[in-house]
Amino acid sequence: MGFTKKHIFDEQQNQIANFTKMIGHPARVSIIQYISQNEDSNCNNLVKAIGLAQPTISQHLAEIRKTGLLKQTVKGKNLYYSINQDKLNECRRLINDFFVKTQVNCSNTVSSLK
Amino acid sequence: MGFTKKHIFDEQQNQIANFTKMIGHPARVSIIQYISQNEDSNCNNLVKAIGLAQPTISQHLAEIRKTGLLKQTVKGKNLYYSINQDKLNECRRLINDFFVKTQVNCSNTVSSLK
DNA sequence: TTATTTAATTGTGATATTGCAATATCACGT
DNA sequence: ACGTGATATTGCAATATCACAATTAAATAA
C-alpha cells in the first residue's frame, strides 16, 4: 500500500506519532536546537550551521512548521524563526504523558504476575 | 538522494532522532501501549487488537526491537513481548532532556533580547 | 509422521521521505 | 526599472517506509 492507516488509531495516538515523527530526523533535531539557541535563526544561518543545501533546510523547516512549533518574524528582507514555546510545552507534555503511562502500566502488569 | 546524512550530526542528535522516529508511527505507539498493558502480548494478540495484518505487525515489532525497547519470552510455541523498562527510561530521559534544554535555551535567548 | 499454530521472512506495489539543482517569488537597495 | 539577497517551490532521482499475500521455519499437537 504505502500509506499509513491513521483512521484505525485514536486522536492521541496519531498526535503522539505526528510530534515524534516531526522530531525523528537528526537535521530537524539540530534545527530545533539551533533556533532555541540563536536569535538570528534564519534559513541562511541554518544552512551554514548545519551543512545541508538551502532547499533541504527549507523543507525541514516546513515539516516542523506543520506541527505549529515555529514562529516567524519578518525583519526587513529577513525571516527569523523562533520556537513557539506553548506548542513545545504541549508536545513535551503529550510525549511525557505517553512515557509515564507506559511505565505505570508496565509496573502494574508486572506486579500482577503474582 | 534519498538517504539521511547521519554523519553530519552528532551522536546524541542521531539517538534522539532514532528514538522519536521509532515512536513516530501510530501503530507503534499502539503496540507499545498494548504491550505495557497486557501480559499476553504476542504477535497474534496484537494483530487482533490493532487490526493490521500479521506481517505488518511483525515488521513494526522489529522496528521497535531494533532500539532495544522490547524483551521476548518464549512460552511453549508462543513468543511474548514485554517492555524493557531500563531502555524505556533511557529513551524517556534522552527525549525529556532534549525538551528541557530547548526550553531553557528559549528562555535565555528571549531574555537577552535587550 | 502429519497437521496445526505462531511468527518471522520474502517479495511486491504503493506511497513517503531525503536531498539537491533549478527556478520562482518577494522585498529591499540602487 | 534593475540587480541583489533571502527563502519558498518545483522537479527529479534515490532511498525508505507501509501494508499485505505468500512462504518459510519452528514448535506443538494429533
Side-chain angles (χ1 to χ4, degrees):
Chain A
M1 304 209 157
F3 57 90
T4 297
K5 288 186 161 180
K6 301 198 176 189
H7 59 282
I8 70 175
F9 305 101
D10 67 31
E11 186 60 28
Q12 206 182 32
Q13 289 167 333
N14 279 308
Q15 251 188 322
I16 293 168
N18 281 342
F19 277 128
T20 49
K21 190 178 176 187
M22 176 269 287
I23 302 172
H25 189 292
R28 292 194 286 271
V29 171
S30 184
I31 287 172
I32 293 169
Q33 288 174 334
Y34 184 91
I35 293 178
S36 77
Q37 288 165 359
N38 298 277
E39 272 189 71
D40 59 344
S41 299
N42 55 13
C43 186
N44 256 337
N45 288 335
L46 285 164
V47 169
K48 283 179 216 156
I50 292 177
L52 290 171
Q54 181 268 321
T56 308
I57 295 292
S58 194
Q59 198 177 268
H60 281 300
L61 280 169
E63 210 66 37
I64 304 174
R65 239 181 316 171
K66 272 198 320 194
T67 66
L69 199 73
L70 294 180
K71 287 192 295 187
Q72 313 186 7
T73 312
V74 178
K75 255 188 215 174
K77 67 183 163 190
N78 283 10
L79 174 55
Y80 292 99
Y81 282 102
S82 59
I83 303 289
N84 178 344
Q85 294 195 55
D86 286 344
K87 189 56 83 169
L88 184 71
N89 243 301
E90 182 191 333
C91 179
R92 182 191 174 187
R93 271 203 313 265
L94 195 72
I95 293 171
N96 191 58
D97 209 55
F98 167 71
F99 278 114
V100 170
K101 279 180 185 161
T102 302
Q103 282 181 320
V104 169
N105 289 336
C106 283
S107 306
N108 289 344
T109 50
V110 164
S111 70
S112 74
L113 264 176
K114 205 255 334 260
Chain B
M1 303 211 159
F3 57 91
T4 297
K5 288 188 162 181
K6 301 198 177 191
H7 60 282
I8 70 175
F9 305 101
D10 67 32
E11 186 59 29
Q12 206 183 32
Q13 289 167 335
N14 279 308
Q15 251 188 323
I16 292 168
N18 281 342
F19 277 128
T20 48
K21 190 177 176 187
M22 176 269 287
I23 302 172
H25 189 293
R28 292 194 287 269
V29 171
S30 184
I31 287 172
I32 293 168
Q33 288 174 334
Y34 184 91
I35 293 178
S36 78
Q37 289 164 357
N38 299 278
E39 272 188 72
D40 59 343
S41 298
N42 56 9
C43 187
N44 257 339
N45 288 336
L46 285 163
V47 169
K48 282 179 216 153
I50 292 176
L52 290 171
Q54 181 268 320
T56 307
I57 295 291
S58 195
Q59 197 177 267
H60 282 301
L61 281 169
E63 210 67 37
I64 305 174
R65 241 182 315 172
K66 271 199 318 194
T67 67
L69 199 73
L70 294 180
K71 286 192 294 186
Q72 313 185 8
T73 312
V74 178
K75 255 188 215 173
K77 67 182 162 189
N78 284 10
L79 173 55
Y80 292 99
Y81 283 101
S82 59
I83 303 289
N84 177 343
Q85 294 196 57
D86 286 343
K87 189 55 85 172
L88 183 72
N89 243 301
E90 182 192 334
C91 179
R92 182 192 173 186
R93 271 203 314 263
L94 195 72
I95 293 172
N96 192 58
D97 210 53
F98 167 71
F99 278 114
V100 170
K101 280 180 184 161
T102 302
Q103 281 182 321
V104 169
N105 289 336
C106 284
S107 306
N108 289 344
T109 51
V110 165
S111 70
S112 73
L113 261 178
K114 200 220 16 179

